[in-house]
Amino acid sequence: MRMVDIIIKKKEGLKLSKEEIEFFVKGVTDGSIPDYQASALLMAICLRGMDKEETLNLTLAMVASGDCIDLSPIPKIKVDKHSTGGVGDKTTMILGPMVAALDIPVAKMSGRGLGHTGGTIDKLESIPGFNTELSQEEFIRIVRDIGLAVAGQTGNLVPADKKLYALRDVTGTVESIPLISASIMSKKLAAGADAIVLDVKVGSGAFMKTVDDAQKLAKAMVEIGTGAKRKTVAIITDMDRPLGKAIGNALEVKEAIEVLSGHGPDDITEVCITLAAKMLELAGVGDFERCAELAKGTIKDGSALDKLRQMIKAQGGNEEVVNDTSLLPTAQYTAEYKANSAGYISAIISDKLGMASMLLGAGRATKESSIDPGAGITLLKKPGDTVNAGEPIVILHANSQALFEASFKELDEAVRISVEKPSETPLIIDIIQ
Ligand code: URA
């Protein structure tokens, strides 16, 4: 088989066979296919697409490029959740404890931030002492003991994705539905869960900017999951507005604790209850309505907060943060961003808000940058709220006052004020199963 023939075939819009896809993935992983040929095929896939069978074959070949985690020592159905990322997304820290509090084990491998905000691992590491670098044995032991662990990726999971993602990043081929879905789903399948709930974000702060594209991505991922014999559901949620009021690492841990204590913002609480209910439904706990009631109950009776406390303790962190969030790192300086006119907050553009937070130190400008755990943004107002001229809308947190100016400029573009009340849009846009 010759790589050049595979490239030409896809360039002409033809369907690739399982063997051709496997040849490509194997060659990328072992280095026998040079980057220029791999990049040429990625571009051809980007322009010509892949059908359902090709996308499944690509995903399975990527899974086979490395190790898979064996979660079979953990009894019961293991349900994983993946979010396609968004600004202020702290759902894992909230729904993991909710689901585990109902005796459904959650073994969650998470990533660091790819874009301008920290990932779940960065957020959890802002808890003093919290260790996310668990060996596979420790990870499984903690899930067996308390039903919940969140760790950074261990082992040699999907090495093909590491190479392909790095090439896509520099060849303008990230935005391809078969490539995104194979990249995400290969990692989910290798992580070993029996069922998968996908939170596909749509809007300015997300990968998919339109509902139509988000539905296509969701459908492609559900088809892969189902094709690989894992129960899979995707929920499309709005990312045109930030979720909750906190963006930044320790700030988001604090907000997750507030949600689990029953006094968090309504939007993030609603999204987490919906996602948790879907996870519970896939685990066979009951129908969706019953699972949503049970998930709400874990907040009311404190069992989800207690589960978070147990996880923090099991992973070496200071569990006291759950009772006293002042033990979390904070930034030395704060500044207020104020409204320049009166009216309604008509929009807070999520990606610009994420950028404003990154500039304060809460995210990484490059892969090598370090994260400031105390930095970030707190929203005092959300879209739809009224505001008076001069009233504070956002509080900025940073460890250097010099960082405020650039962040203010992003906020000038992020925050929109209108005379008319903006129309309300639903948070949960669609469910694909
Ligand atoms: N997240 C991933 O893991 N892969 C992609 O291709 C896009 C988002």
Side-chain angles (χ1 to χ4, degrees), residues 82 84 114 161 165 168 174 179-181 183-184 187 207:
H82 178 81
T84 59
L114 276 181
D161 182 61
Y165 197 90
R168 287 166 59 208
V174 169
L179 295 179
I180 297 176
S181 43
S183 163
I184 293 175
K187 287 174 284 195
F207 255 103

Side-chain angles (χ1 to χ4, degrees), residues 347-350 352-353 356 409-416:
I348 300 183
I349 313 289
S350 304
K352 303 226 177 286
L353 195 66
K409 283 200 186 117
E410 288 295 328
L411 289 173
D412 280 338
E413 292 188 34
V415 180
R416 310 261 162 91

Side-chain angles (χ1 to χ4, degrees), residues 250-251 328-334 360 372-376 396-400 404:
L251 290 168
L328 290 164
T330 51
Q332 205 179 341
Y333 303 103
T334 57
L360 297 172
D372 179 346
L396 295 79
H397 308 252
N399 278 309
S400 157
F404 288 136

Side-chain angles (χ1 to χ4, degrees), residues 185-249:
M185 289 304 289
S186 58
K187 287 174 284 195
K188 290 289 106 186
L189 296 178
D194 307 299
I196 302 159
V197 172
L198 300 160
D199 173 17
V200 179
K201 308 271 184 205
V202 57
S204 68
F207 255 103
M208 295 290 122
K209 307 289 179 210
T210 67
V211 172
D212 192 41
D213 279 346
Q215 282 166 331
K216 283 191 188 127
L217 177 66
K219 188 164 172 279
M221 292 198 290
V222 170
E223 281 171 355
I224 295 172
T226 314
K229 309 221 169 1
R230 316 280 171 104
K231 287 191 212 167
T232 309
V233 173
I235 300 182
I236 299 180
T237 59
D238 181 41
M239 237 310 138
D240 254 337
R241 57 195 139 170
L243 258 190
K245 295 187 172 172
I247 298 143
N249 298 282

Side-chain angles (χ1 to χ4, degrees), residues 202-398:
V202 57
S204 68
F207 255 103
M208 295 290 122
K209 307 289 179 210
T210 67
V211 172
D212 192 41
D213 279 346
Q215 282 166 331
K216 283 191 188 127
L217 177 66
K219 188 164 172 279
M221 292 198 290
V222 170
E223 281 171 355
I224 295 172
T226 314
K229 309 221 169 1
R230 316 280 171 104
K231 287 191 212 167
T232 309
V233 173
I235 300 182
I236 299 180
T237 59
D238 181 41
M239 237 310 138
D240 254 337
R241 57 195 139 170
L243 258 190
K245 295 187 172 172
I247 298 143
N249 298 282
L251 290 168
E252 291 189 43
V253 172
K254 181 166 179 265
E255 188 164 69
I257 292 170
E258 284 163 4
V259 172
L260 292 176
S261 309
H263 46 258
D266 292 343
D267 59 353
I268 177 82
T269 307
E270 182 192 336
V271 168
C272 287
I273 288 172
T274 305
L275 291 167
K278 271 286 159 205
M279 291 171 77
L280 294 164
E281 189 187 354
L282 289 192
V285 172
D287 65 19
F288 180 75
E289 280 69 33
R290 163 105 185 105
C291 291
E293 280 312 309
L294 287 170
K296 273 184 215 160
T298 67
I299 296 182
K300 276 201 203 100
D301 66 12
S303 57
L305 188 65
D306 194 49
K307 194 53 76 180
L308 178 68
R309 183 202 323 274
Q310 289 172 26
M311 179 183 83
I312 295 173
K313 183 170 181 217
Q315 294 193 224
N318 181 357
E319 72 201 275
E320 277 308 306
V321 298
V322 166
N323 303 324
D324 180 2
T325 52
S326 72
L327 296 169
L328 290 164
T330 51
Q332 205 179 341
Y333 303 103
T334 57
E336 289 177 342
Y337 178 81
K338 294 180 179 156
N340 51 18
S341 61
Y344 290 93
I345 306 283
S346 59
I348 300 183
I349 313 289
S350 304
D351 53 353
K352 303 226 177 286
L353 195 66
M355 184 59 76
S357 170
M358 189 270 276
L359 292 170
L360 297 172
R364 292 185 182 82
T366 67
K367 282 199 194 85
E368 290 71 37
S369 330
S370 60
I371 278 196
D372 179 346
I377 276 174
T378 322
L379 298 176
L380 302 175
K381 301 274 180 185
K382 297 268 286 183
D385 290 349
T386 54
V387 67
N388 296 316
E391 199 181 345
I393 300 176
V394 177
I395 299 181
L396 295 79
H397 308 252

